[in-house]
Amino acid sequence: MKKSTIFIGLFIAVLIGIGVIGFAKVNKASAHITEGSDNYTISETWELPKELDEISGIVWIDHQTIACVQDETGMIYIYNLDERAITEEIPFAGNGDYEGIALHNNDLYVMQSDGLLYEVKNWNATNKIVTSHQTGFDSSHNMESLVYSIKDSALLTAPKDKDLEDDFKGLYKIALSSKNVDTNSPAYKIEMNAAALKPYRNKKRYKTFNPSEIAVHPTTHDIYVLEGKNPKLLIMDSNGVLKTVFKLDKINFPQPEGMTFSDQGDLYISNESANGPASIHLVEFNK
C-alpha cells in the first residue's frame, strides 16, 4: 500500500474522531442548557419592550395588570398583559439598582439592592407620596427580593449573597409600621445543607442558593423563592419547611429575577433580556 494512501486514511480517521468528539461535546452542552425543561409547562409568553430589558421585579396588581421595576431606572412600569404594552410609568426615584417590588392595599414598595426601601403610597392616585426607609440591610447583602405576605402581615425579603451565617439564607420580615427589620431573627430559613439542595451545593456554602425573588401563593401560602444566577425555584410550605427544588433550564429562563402570583394562583416569572427580548412567562410546575 502506498504511503500516501496510508496518510490519507489516517487523516480521514483523525477527522472522523474530531467530529465524533465535537458532536458529543455539543450534545452534552445542549443537554446542560435544557436540563430542567421537563419540570414545568409554559402556557403563555409576553415579549417585553426595550424599557424593560433589565426587568428585575414584578408584582400582580389586578385583572391583567402587572407592575414592574428594572435595575437602573427609578420608575415603576404598569404593564397590561391583554394589551401587551406599558400603559403607565410612575417615577419614584433617580437612577439606582432596583430589584424587588411588592404591593399592599394601594401602596407599592420597591427594594434597592443596598436595602433601601421605597414606599409609593396611593400609587394609582394623583397625590402619590414617595418616601424611603433604611431597613437594616446594606449593599453587602445584595437585596433582590420583596413580597407582601398576608400570613405574616409584613413584607418579606432575603439576602442574595451573605447572611448572618454561611449555613443559611433567611427570609426576614419588614414591619409595615416601622419599615425596620430584625436582622438577627429571620422568619424562615433556607438551610444550605438541606437534602434538596445537595445537587447544587457549593464549596462556599452561602453560594449554594442565592435568592433573587420571593412570591407567596395566595391560597396555600406556600413560599416560592427564585434564583436567577443558576436558575432554580425552591418551594417551602407556609411554615417554612422546604418541600422541593426545581432546576430551570437556561433556554426559557436565561436570567429569571421577577416572580408573582395572580389572585387565582397563576405563577408569572420574568426574565431579563438575554440573546433576545426580556419576557414574562405564565408557568405551571409539575406537582
Side-chain angles (χ1 to χ4, degrees):
M1 184 180 292
K2 294 181 178 180
K3 289 184 177 179
S4 59
T5 304
I6 294 173
F7 287 139
I8 290 171
L10 288 172
F11 181 70
I12 292 172
V14 168
L15 287 179
I16 292 172
I18 291 172
V20 169
I21 293 170
F23 182 74
K25 287 184 176 180
V26 168
N27 274 353
K28 185 176 180 179
S30 177
H32 177 70
I33 63 174
T34 59
E35 187 181 355
S37 59
D38 56 349
N39 288 328
Y40 62 86
T41 300
I42 294 175
S43 55
E44 193 166 0
T45 295
W46 291 262
E47 293 187 353
L48 301 175
K50 293 291 290 182
E51 294 93 325
L52 292 172
D53 274 357
E54 301 295 322
I55 188 169
S56 53
I58 60 176
V59 66
W60 183 262
I61 298 296
D62 57 22
H63 304 301
Q64 290 296 306
T65 306
I66 285 178
C68 316
V69 289
Q70 59 113 310
D71 281 354
E72 301 169 349
T73 305
M75 186 82 71
I76 295 171
Y77 299 87
I78 305 301
Y79 185 82
N80 187 287
L81 296 171
D82 283 342
E83 298 179 18
R84 294 179 177 267
I86 295 170
T87 56
E88 187 178 356
E89 297 182 358
I90 304 169
F92 66 90
N95 292 341
D97 185 10
Y98 307 106
E99 297 290 351
I101 184 168
L103 174 71
H104 175 57
N105 294 334
N106 293 320
D107 305 329
L108 284 168
Y109 298 87
V110 177
M111 177 63 77
Q112 194 164 270
S113 62
D114 61 3
L116 187 65
L117 180 71
Y118 287 88
E119 179 182 24
V120 183
K121 292 192 73 67
N122 300 314
W123 74 267
N124 56 351
T126 54
N127 59 334
K128 302 175 183 67
I129 300 173
V130 180
T131 54
S132 61
H133 311 271
Q134 296 289 345
T135 59
F137 292 108
D138 57 43
S139 57
S140 68
H141 298 106
N142 195 8
M143 308 303 295
E144 291 199 355
S145 54
L146 194 67
V147 68
Y148 177 74
S149 168
I150 294 175
K151 177 178 178 289
D152 296 289
S153 299
L155 299 170
L156 294 179
T157 190
K160 179 182 178 183
D161 292 339
K162 298 287 284 185
D163 207 325
L164 292 171
E165 300 176 16
D166 288 354
D167 288 339
F168 70 86
K169 294 289 172 66
L171 276 63
Y172 294 84
K173 294 181 184 181
I174 304 176
L176 291 178
S177 55
S178 65
K179 313 300 186 300
N180 288 329
V181 179
D182 183 350
T183 55
N184 293 311
S185 299
Y188 310 98
K189 286 184 178 181
I190 302 171
E191 301 288 350
M192 297 295 101
N193 63 353
L197 286 171
K198 186 176 180 179
Y200 316 106
R201 195 154 299 146
N202 193 289
K203 289 183 180 178
K204 294 183 178 180
R205 190 63 59 90
Y206 72 93
K207 291 187 176 182
T208 298
F209 190 83
N210 302 96
S212 296
E213 188 57 292
I214 307 170
V216 179
H217 194 283
T219 55
T220 66
H221 303 296
D222 282 354
I223 303 168
Y224 286 55
V225 188
L226 182 68
E227 177 178 339
K229 187 177 181 181
N230 297 297
K232 60 181 74 75
L233 178 68
L234 179 150
I235 303 175
M236 299 186 288
D237 68 17
S238 60
N239 295 313
V241 177
L242 200 160
K243 295 171 68 174
T244 189
V245 178
F246 289 109
K247 182 177 175 60
L248 301 177
D249 64 280
K250 290 200 171 186
I251 294 179
N252 289 314
F253 297 98
Q255 194 166 346
E257 293 197 357
M259 178 171 60
T260 190
F261 281 102
S262 73
D263 295 335
Q264 291 74 40
D266 297 320
L267 180 62
Y268 295 82
I269 297 178
S270 64
N271 288 280
E272 289 191 6
S273 173
N275 300 319
S279 63
I280 296 176
H281 296 313
L282 175 57
V283 190
E284 184 176 353
F285 281 84
N286 301 332
K287 302 298 183 182

